[in-house]
Amino acid sequence: SLLTEQAVFIEWDIEPSLEFIFDAEDQLTQAISSNELGEVDGNEVGNGTATIYLYGANCDEIWKAIEAIARHFSPSPARALIRAGGPEVEPRQVNFS
């Protein structure tokens, strides 16, 4: 739906363990579901990279809720892509290093 088109993608330029990714998803889910900001909608892991997908009505609110958590992940993500709309919208990029 249009309400859930906004997105935040957390990206790694390495391939962490699935155990790590699932734990990271749990932490992110707790951070945004308690405020009903959106949902964690899965991950993509392979070929030396990993991405966790979050969707909701307001990407800035999602990012505000998860930024501190994402910055404490170890291994650290490479970047976050914060997209204020659907796939046609150019996301803004936040680098973690």
Side-chain angles (χ1 to χ4, degrees):
S1 78
L2 289 176
L3 283 178
T4 56
E5 284 253 292
Q6 299 202 10
V8 176
F9 308 135
I10 310 291
E11 300 185 338
W12 285 261
D13 289 338
I14 57 168
E15 196 172 324
S17 69
L18 280 176
E19 185 182 19
F20 166 82
I21 291 293
F22 293 145
D23 181 57
E25 286 187 345
D26 286 344
Q27 292 182 51
L28 295 169
T29 296
Q30 285 174 7
I32 65 171
S33 64
S34 55
N35 311 325
E36 298 184 349
L37 293 175
E39 62 180 356
V40 175
D41 189 29
N43 64 73
E44 200 170 328
V45 180
N47 299 320
T49 67
T51 305
I52 294 177
Y53 301 94
L54 301 92
Y55 292 93
N58 186 318
C59 61
D60 295 316
E61 291 294 320
I62 293 173
W63 176 240
K64 198 158 47 173
I66 69 165
E67 180 177 9
I69 295 164
R71 289 191 183 281
H72 283 96
F73 284 149
S74 181
S76 175
R79 72 195 68 81
L81 300 179
I82 301 165
R83 197 182 74 194
E88 73 286 349
V89 174
E90 189 68 29
R92 77 183 162 93
Q93 181 169 318
V94 174
N95 295 315
F96 283 87
S97 50

